[in-house]
Amino acid sequence: MAKPPTVEPHVERPGPAEFRDPFVRRELAKAAVWFGMALAIAGVIVLGQPLLLIIGGMIFAVFLDGGVRLLGRYLPIARGWRLLIVLLLGFGFLGWVVWFAGTTIGAQFEALREVVTAQVDRLIAFAKSLGLMPQGQPNDLGSQLLGGVGRLTSAVGSVIGAVASVIAMIVIGIFLASEPRLYDRGIAWMLPLRARGGFYRIAEHVGFTLRRLLFGRLIAMVFEGVFTWFMLTLGGVPMAGLLGLITGVLAFIPNIGAITSGLVMIAVGFSASSGQGIWCIIVYFLVHNIDAYVVVPYVARRTVDIAPAVLLAMQLLMAALFGILGVLFADPILATLKVVLIDLSKQQADEENEAPEIVSGGGVTAAAPAAAVPASAASSPRRRGRSSAPARRT
């Protein structure tokens, strides 16, 4: 009699549809995290331009909020009226600058382009005479280099696209500055209840840091522009007003803006005479040294301490990814990231009751434990530099 076929035992295991199983839930959570990170990276690359416009609107809103808060110290009126005054003053000043540039120094722009082109051609001819460049290069390489700069700036978009982008940033900034608490509560609503207090604290700290940082940039722009114009006028350098305006505007971009304005200034100086070229070099180093060692440390040293090499690396990275807008917003983005990371690390250390480590030449030692700090000092908003609850905006 034949034996029935042997049936191997089979154990049913949970499949992907068995969401009640802890193992499946854990694996789905891991897959969701990695998939979300991939989507976020792809979204940043594909939607880089709109994201930078939104970031620009936020930065403009922080700038407006700083002006509104400053007026609130002297004018006890509603926030909307103070915002209107700030907008009128700001756009009125910009209108005056455009009118002044158009009526007084408008004709100097074409002369400046011709002077810079001629100086670049002379520099290339000098390099060829020394054998640093092959003789087969075209003579109008200077014009091609300047055309390359023009093509780089045109990557932001056409004139209509650029104007539309600026208008979009301004509108976003005005809406955010009119009711900042509304948008704070909207973002906090998407977070768990236990994380909302920390979000409000970090948002307040980031806003405070960016207000101080932008105020320092504004002071540096005014100082560099006015001082450059005064010193160049004193030395008899042509187009002093235009060079001062260019220096002041480019001062918003640390490192790169100073180098660009300095090269243009020196090129214009040597186009007139060797003496004025040397005077332009002296003015460049004098202006930027006073700004670097007096103005910026006095105004913005207490905001966020960013190493120049780190800032320059961030600018190069943002320029490669997003172009001109990336360079413009690299400084505020880096400052925001640093403030957020510092606050999160402090919050984690407070939750775990860990003491910070002190690194010295002899090794790493632990500081006093967090519990040794008095409770009043640890919870005081004035001592910690930020509020532990959402501060009331005025």
Side-chain angles (χ1 to χ4, degrees), residues 11-252:
V11 179
E12 294 290 342
R13 299 184 181 275
E18 191 68 33
F19 298 108
R20 294 176 297 177
D21 185 76
F23 176 77
V24 175
R25 288 186 179 183
R26 188 164 55 251
E27 294 301 321
L28 285 177
K30 293 179 182 179
V33 169
W34 286 107
F35 185 68
M37 291 180 61
L39 286 181
I41 295 174
V44 169
I45 295 175
V46 176
L47 304 176
Q49 190 79 7
L51 289 176
L52 283 179
L53 293 181
I54 296 174
I55 292 174
M58 293 179 178
I59 295 174
F60 183 64
V62 170
F63 187 81
L64 294 178
D65 184 64
V68 170
R69 289 171 179 262
L70 182 62
L71 283 180
R73 299 180 180 180
Y74 308 100
L75 296 177
I77 57 178
R79 180 183 178 88
W81 291 108
R82 281 180 281 149
L83 178 61
L84 180 60
I85 294 174
V86 171
L87 289 173
L88 291 177
L89 291 176
F91 286 108
F93 176 75
L94 291 178
W96 175 81
V97 169
V98 173
W99 175 82
F100 175 75
T103 58
T104 307
I105 59 178
Q108 298 179 2
F109 280 99
E110 182 63 24
L112 177 65
R113 188 189 66 82
E114 296 177 356
V115 167
V116 174
T117 303
Q119 290 297 96
V120 172
D121 291 337
R122 290 175 57 185
L123 181 61
I124 293 173
F126 178 72
K128 288 181 179 180
S129 65
L130 296 178
L132 300 178
M133 293 184 62
Q135 297 294 331
Q137 294 291 335
N139 295 328
D140 60 343
L141 184 58
S143 302
Q144 292 182 2
L145 291 176
L146 295 177
V149 176
R151 287 191 296 271
L152 179 62
T153 55
S154 65
V156 181
S158 60
V159 176
I160 298 178
V163 172
S165 300
V166 172
I167 293 176
M169 287 189 292
I170 291 175
V171 172
I172 292 174
I174 293 175
F175 279 123
L176 291 177
S178 60
E179 292 181 311
R181 291 296 306 276
L182 176 65
Y183 299 97
D184 285 349
R185 290 194 298 266
I187 297 176
W189 176 78
M190 295 184 291
L191 301 175
L193 289 174
R194 63 180 182 276
R196 294 183 184 180
F199 167 77
Y200 285 124
R201 183 177 62 253
I202 293 176
E204 187 66 24
H205 194 187
V206 169
F208 172 78
T209 302
L210 289 182
R211 285 194 300 269
R212 294 289 297 272
L213 184 65
L214 294 178
F215 179 73
R217 290 285 176 261
L218 181 61
I219 295 297
M221 291 171 65
V222 173
F223 168 77
E224 292 188 21
V226 173
F227 195 72
T228 300
W229 165 75
F230 174 76
M231 295 298 293
L232 293 181
T233 303
L234 190 63
V237 179
M239 296 178 284
L242 178 59
L243 293 175
L245 180 62
I246 292 175
T247 303
V249 172
L250 293 180
F252 184 79

Side-chain angles (χ1 to χ4, degrees), residues 330-351:
D331 191 13
I333 291 175
L334 183 59
T336 301
L337 290 176
K338 183 173 183 179
V339 171
V340 171
L341 292 177
I342 290 176
D343 281 10
L344 289 177
S345 63
K346 288 182 179 180
Q347 181 179 351
Q348 185 70 20
D350 292 341
E351 292 177 357

